[in-house]
Amino acid sequence: MALLELALLGFSGGFFYAGKKPEKTGNKRNALARLRAALAPIKAHKQSLQTFIAESPDQEADEKALADQRELKRTASVFAGSTAIAVAGTVLYPPLAVLSVPGAVYLLRDVYVNTADTVIKGKPVGVDPLMAIFTTSMLYQGHFVVSHFFISLYLLNRQLIKRVKQESKRNIIDVFRDQPSTAWVIIDGTEVEQQVSAIREKAIVVVRAGESVPVDGQVLEGFAAVDQHMLTGESQPVEKSAGDTVFACTVVLTGSIHVQVEKTGEETASARIGQILNSTVDFKTSKQLWAEKITQQTVMPTLGLSALTLALAGPTTALIFINSHFRYRLMLATSTSALTFLNLAAQKGVLLKSGIILEKMQNIDTVVFDKTGTLTLETPNVAEVTAFGDWDANTILGLAASVEGRQSHPVAKAICNKAAALGLQVEASHEASYQVGYGLVASIGKQQIQVGSLRYAQQQGFAIPPALLDKAEQCHLLGNSLIIVSVDGVIAGAIELQATIRPETSAVIQRLRDQGLSLHIISGDHPAPTKRLAETLHIDNYHAEVLPETKAEIIKQLQAEGRSVCYIGDGINDAIALKEASVSVSLRGASSVATDTAEVILMDQNLNRLCDLFQLAREYDQNVKTTSQMVIIPSLMNLGLAFVPGYGLAASMTLSATSVLAGFGSSMLPLIRHQQTRIIG
Ligand SMILES: Nc1ncnc2c1ncn2[C@@H]1O[C@H](COP(=O)(O)OP(=O)(O)OP(=O)(O)O)[C@@H](O)[C@H]1O
Ligand SMILES: [Zn+2]
C-alpha cells in the first residue's frame, strides 16, 4: 500500500511541477510542450503587453507577478517539505508522519477558511466543505501520503486555472495590440496625426465631421453636432461648443471642434481594450454556468450518500464516495474549453468581445452583409469623372477631394486617392456637415460644395440635368455607383465609382450557403449596383438605399420572424444595425464606431474568418460536451467501484487524477490540433 502511495505521489509531483513551471520542459515534444509552443509568441511580447494594459502597468503588473511567484515558491517548498515528512514517516517511523499535518493544513487553508465561512456566515455551500471533510478524515485515519497526493491535485487545479486565464488574456491582447487608432493633435500650431494611446492630458485634439471623438475632454473652440447614442442612447445629435464636454466613442456629424483632453487613461483605446479583455476572459458561457450549478447541486447529495455508506460500508467507502465528487474539475474543464476557443479565435485574427458569441453563433441562421467595404474592398476606384456645363473633370474631382478631406467613408477614400494620384490641388474645406447615408456639404472659399448620392441632390431639390440621368443609367448597367458633385445648389459633375468584390467573397458566400444559411445584402447605395452584386454572388435577398435606422429595422424585422441574425458591417451607417443583431461582426480598419459597436472584429479584414468563426463555434460545442464527459464519467465510475473489494483510496484518487488530466487535456486538445495544422498547412 505504502509503495503504491509513493508511486502515486511521484506521478502527481511531476504533474504539479509541470503545471508550475511550464517554461522548463526543454525539448520534450510532449503535449504540454506543444501547447507551450502554441502559446509561445505571447511571451515575446510580455513587456510591451504589460505597458499596454493599464495606466501604470509596469509596476503594478510586476508587483503582482512577483507576489504570485513568491507565493508559488512558498507553496512548493511547504508542499515538498511536508510531503517528505509524510513519506519518510510512512517508510521509516509512522508516528513521525503526523508532523506533516501542519503543512497539509497550511496548504489547504483556503479550503478550511471557505468551509468556516459556509458554516459560520452561511455562505452558499461550495465544494470546499467536501474537501475539508475529506482531507480531515484522511489525515485523521493516518493516510498522510495519500492526503498529500490529494493536495497536489488541488494545488495543480488551482494553478492551472490561474495560468490558463493569464495566458489566454495575453494571447488575446497580442492580437489587439496592433489595432490602429489615431487622432489629429495640435503640436506647435500644426496638426499632427498621433496614436491615440500616445495622447496625454491637456493635449488639444481636432475632431471633424465623420470622425469619432478619441478621448473625453472639453471643447475649446468650434461647433459640432455630436451623435452620442453609443453612450446615452439618445437618437438626436447634441450641439457642442466651447465649454461643453465631449466623450470618447461619440461621433461628430457636423462641424469641427478642438478638444482639450481631460481623460486619457480610462477612456483611451488601450484602456477600453483592457476592459473588454477583462470581461472577455471573465465571461461565463451558459455551459460554464451549468458546470457551476451541477457542481454546487451535487455537494449535499454526495455528503448525504457518504454518510449513508459510512454507516453501511465503513469509512473507506465513505471517503471514496466523497472523493468521487468532481469538485472544481468540471468548472475548470468547461472554462478551459471556452478559453481555448477564445484563444484559437484570437490566433486566427478573430477578436471576440464576449465568449457568449461562441454559443450564439451556433444558433445563427441568417447572415446579413453590408455591401460597400464589407463584400467589396474597402476603397472603390474612380472609373470616370463627368463634368456638366462649363466645369471640367479635374476641377470637379479636386473640389470633391477638398470636401472629403479627412472623411473615412469608402467613397471619400476613393475620391481622395484619385485626386492625389492625379496630383490635383486640394484646398482645405470648412464647416463640413455629414449627413449619414446621403453625403456631405462644406464650403470652399465662398462656394458651397455638396458631394453625395443622387438621392441627396434630389432631396435638396437640385435640378437634374438630362445628361446626368443618361450617365446614371449607363453607370448602373455596369453595376457601378455614382456620386454627384454640386456647387452652390447646381449639379456640376458626377464621379463614377467601381467597387471590387473582395477576392474571398465568392467562396465565403458559397460556403455559408452550403451550410444552409439564409443570406442578405443591405446597402445605403443605389439599388442598381446592389442588385448587380447580389446577382453576381447568387444572393437572393437584397435591400438598397437603406438609411442607418432602416438597416436596424430590417434586422429587427428578420429577428421578429424568428431568425437569428449575424450582421457584418463596416461603417458609421452600420452602427445601429450592429447593435440590433444577435451577433455583430465588423472588419478592422473600418470606422472606429463600427469596431466599437461590433462584438466580433475580423482583424485581418478577411471574410474567410467568418467561416472560421462558425467552425470554431461548432467545435466549441462539441469540445465542451466531450470535456464534461471526461470529468463526469470517472466520478460515476468511482461511485460504482467503491463497492468493489480491494478498491481503495489510492486507486480512487488515481482515477480522480486521470479525470483532471482527461478533462484538461480534452479542453486543450484543440489548441494543439490547430497548432499542428498551422505548422503543416
Ligand atoms: N462621404 C461621402 N461622400 C460622398 N457620398 C457619400 C458619402 N457618404 C455617403 N455617401 C452617399 O450616400 C450613399 C449611402 O451611404 P452609406 O454610407 O449609407 O452606404 P454605402 O457606404 O454606400 O453602402 P453600404 O451600406 O453598402 O456600406 C452612398 O452610396 C453615397 O452615395
Ligand atoms: Zn459599408
Side-chain angles (χ1 to χ4, degrees):
M1 175 68 184
L3 261 184
L4 177 61
E5 291 189 6
L6 282 180
L8 274 180
L9 199 61
F11 162 72
S12 73
F15 234 152
F16 177 46
Y17 183 77
K20 197 183 64 168
K21 285 189 172 172
E23 56 272 57
K24 283 199 184 158
T25 341
N27 42 16
K28 260 188 254 159
R29 294 299 293 168
N30 56 13
L32 259 161
R34 277 214 213 108
L35 171 66
R36 226 162 294 128
L39 300 173
I42 302 153
K43 299 219 167 73
H45 290 296
K46 237 182 202 164
Q47 195 57 41
S48 51
L49 293 174
Q50 281 172 350
T51 28
F52 189 67
I53 274 202
E55 244 192 300
S56 51
D58 284 337
Q59 231 179 339
E60 258 175 48
D62 280 358
E63 268 170 27
K64 193 165 173 340
L66 270 180
D68 277 358
Q69 229 164 29
R70 272 199 300 271
E71 166 66 20
L72 195 63
K73 264 195 190 143
R74 196 162 44 231
T75 306
S77 354
V78 174
F79 178 74
S82 124
T83 309
I85 297 172
V87 173
T90 308
V91 175
L92 303 172
Y93 180 58
L96 196 68
V98 180
L99 292 176
S100 68
V101 172
V105 172
Y106 171 80
L107 293 169
L108 288 166
R109 63 195 182 283
D110 286 348
V111 171
Y112 287 115
V113 167
N114 288 341
T115 307
D117 276 354
T118 306
V119 176
I120 299 165
K121 296 184 192 156
K123 267 190 13 185
V125 180
V127 294
D128 288 311
L130 212 62
M131 288 162 73
I133 294 175
F134 182 68
T135 41
T136 312
S137 348
M138 273 203 312
L139 290 170
Y140 180 74
Q141 291 187 17
H143 300 296
F144 300 108
V145 176
V146 182
S147 298
H148 279 81
F149 176 41
F150 177 84
I151 291 170
S152 72
L153 289 181
Y154 159 74
L155 294 174
L156 174 72
N157 268 14
R158 212 174 55 173
Q159 191 58 22
L160 283 180
I161 294 177
K162 234 196 204 156
R163 266 218 103 78
V164 167
K165 260 199 179 170
Q166 281 170 356
E167 304 266 292
S168 302
K169 209 179 258 191
R170 289 200 191 118
N171 202 0
I172 300 170
I173 295 170
D174 198 29
V175 177
F176 242 139
R177 212 169 46 98
D178 303 326
Q179 171 99 333
S181 177
T182 59
W184 294 84
V185 180
I186 299 189
I187 295 174
D188 299 331
T190 42
E191 286 181 30
V192 181
E193 196 170 7
Q194 236 184 28
Q195 287 293 321
V196 171
S197 53
I199 296 175
R200 294 285 162 253
E201 219 177 295
K202 297 266 180 287
I204 296 170
V205 180
V206 187
V207 195
R208 294 213 164 81
E211 293 176 346
S212 69
V213 183
V215 293
D216 282 3
Q218 203 184 35
V219 179
L220 286 186
E221 55 175 280
F223 291 94
V226 179
D227 178 358
Q228 304 201 123
H229 83 265
M230 293 299 147
L231 286 183
T232 60
E234 61 199 323
S235 55
Q236 288 303 313
V238 184
E239 301 276 337
K240 299 277 183 182
S241 56
D244 290 341
T245 306
V246 286
F247 303 98
C249 272
T250 58
V251 184
V252 171
L253 295 179
T254 319
S256 80
I257 41 176
H258 288 196
V259 179
Q260 179 150 49
V261 180
E262 280 172 355
K263 269 195 215 145
T264 51
E266 276 299 294
E267 292 301 331
T268 50
S270 64
R272 281 206 302 277
I273 288 164
Q275 288 157 11
I276 290 169
L277 288 179
N278 278 324
S279 61
T280 305
V281 177
D282 292 334
F283 84 92
K284 282 183 182 141
T285 63
S286 58
K287 289 281 172 13
Q288 278 169 279
L289 293 172
W290 166 83
E292 266 176 32
K293 209 172 93 193
I294 293 284
T295 306
Q296 282 221 333
Q297 286 177 345
T298 43
V299 169
M300 290 316 279
T302 306
L303 281 176
L305 272 179
S306 65
L308 204 67
T309 37
L310 181 66
L312 297 176
T316 304
T317 315
L319 279 180
I320 293 178
F321 257 68
I322 296 190
N323 181 56
S324 76
H325 193 274
F326 38 77
R327 293 185 287 276
Y328 290 114
R329 292 198 286 280
L330 193 61
M331 271 142 66
L332 168 70
T334 49
S335 70
T336 329
S337 170
L339 286 171
T340 291
F341 281 89
L342 280 182
N343 256 327
L344 279 178
Q347 281 177 21
K348 287 179 185 294
V350 178
L351 195 106
L352 304 177
K353 289 190 189 168
S354 132
I356 314 280
I357 294 162
L358 285 173
E359 289 176 342
K360 285 203 282 188
M361 266 329 258
Q362 290 159 28
N363 303 323
I364 295 295
D365 54 15
T366 305
V367 184
V368 180
F369 291 92
D370 164 62
K371 177 176 79 78
T372 314
T374 302
L375 289 174
T376 67
L377 284 178
E378 203 189 348
T379 316
N381 290 317
V382 172
E384 201 185 342
V385 182
T386 314
F388 303 117
D390 297 336
W391 295 95
D392 72 280
N394 279 358
T395 315
I396 296 294
L397 192 64
L399 284 174
S402 304
V403 172
E404 300 281 8
R406 287 193 347 217
Q407 296 293 313
S408 59
H409 196 278
V411 168
K413 284 188 186 157
I415 291 175
C416 293
N417 285 355
K418 185 69 179 180
L422 293 177
L424 299 182
Q425 180 160 4
V426 174
E427 284 172 55
S429 62
H430 297 284
E431 288 165 39
S433 161
Y434 185 47
Q435 200 171 348
V436 181
Y438 289 99
L440 76 165
V441 59
S443 46
I444 298 176
K446 288 206 167 67
Q447 289 173 318
Q448 202 180 48
I449 315 292
Q450 192 186 36
V451 186
S453 61
L454 183 56
R455 198 152 65 126
Y456 191 21
Q458 283 165 335
Q459 184 209 44
Q460 300 290 311
F462 298 166
I464 311 289
L468 174 58
L469 290 177
D470 287 348
K471 178 73 217 164
E473 203 180 314
Q474 278 171 26
C475 165
H476 291 153
L477 273 178
L478 295 171
N480 291 347
S481 309
L482 203 60
I483 299 298
I484 314 298
V485 183
S486 320
V487 181
D488 291 330
V490 178
I491 294 180
I495 301 170
E496 183 174 346
L497 298 178
Q498 184 180 31
T500 314
I501 303 178
R502 283 183 191 274
E504 74 277 14
T505 302
S506 224
V508 168
I509 296 289
Q510 181 69 40
R511 271 175 76 186
L512 295 177
R513 206 190 356 254
D514 289 348
Q515 289 171 26
L517 294 162
S518 161
L519 306 176
H520 293 248
I521 300 181
I522 218 170
S523 178
D525 200 359
H526 192 273
T530 314
K531 178 164 182 252
R532 177 69 175 256
L533 183 70
E535 281 167 3
T536 311
L537 295 173
H538 307 291
I539 295 179
D540 298 331
N541 315 292
Y542 70 90
H543 319 258
E545 282 193 341
V546 182
L547 293 175
E549 309 80 61
T550 326
K551 283 194 173 184
E553 281 304 318
I554 294 174
I555 308 283
K556 248 192 212 160
Q557 177 69 34
L558 287 169
Q559 294 187 148
E561 288 167 16
R563 296 176 172 280
S564 190
V565 177
C566 169
Y567 182 72
I568 309 167
D570 72 312
I572 294 182
N573 61 339
D574 299 314
I576 315 178
L578 286 170
K579 269 202 164 168
E580 202 60 52
S582 164
V583 174
S584 52
V585 182
S586 131
L587 307 172
R588 173 169 101 157
S591 86
S592 58
V593 191
T595 45
D596 278 338
T597 313
E599 299 161 295
V600 181
I601 298 169
L602 309 182
M603 301 299 282
D604 62 356
Q605 301 194 19
N606 187 326
L607 290 177
N608 276 314
R609 300 295 153 262
L610 187 67
C611 296
D612 290 343
L613 181 59
F614 273 107
Q615 175 72 21
L616 283 180
R618 275 191 298 271
E619 282 181 32
Y620 166 69
D621 186 52
Q622 191 52 50
N623 182 264
V624 79
K625 277 182 193 146
T626 319
T627 300
S628 307
Q629 285 165 1
M630 296 284 181
V631 174
I632 293 174
I633 292 173
S635 279
L636 296 176
M637 282 168 65
N638 248 333
L639 285 180
L641 288 168
F643 296 103
V644 174
Y647 188 76
L649 266 177
S652 132
M653 236 170 285
T654 312
L655 196 56
S656 305
T658 319
S659 101
V660 175
L661 247 198
F664 191 65
S666 155
S667 64
M668 296 292 250
L669 196 63
L671 219 48
I672 297 160
R673 226 179 23 225
H674 282 259
Q675 170 78 3
Q676 268 171 341
T677 46
R678 215 166 47 164
I679 292 169
I680 299 163

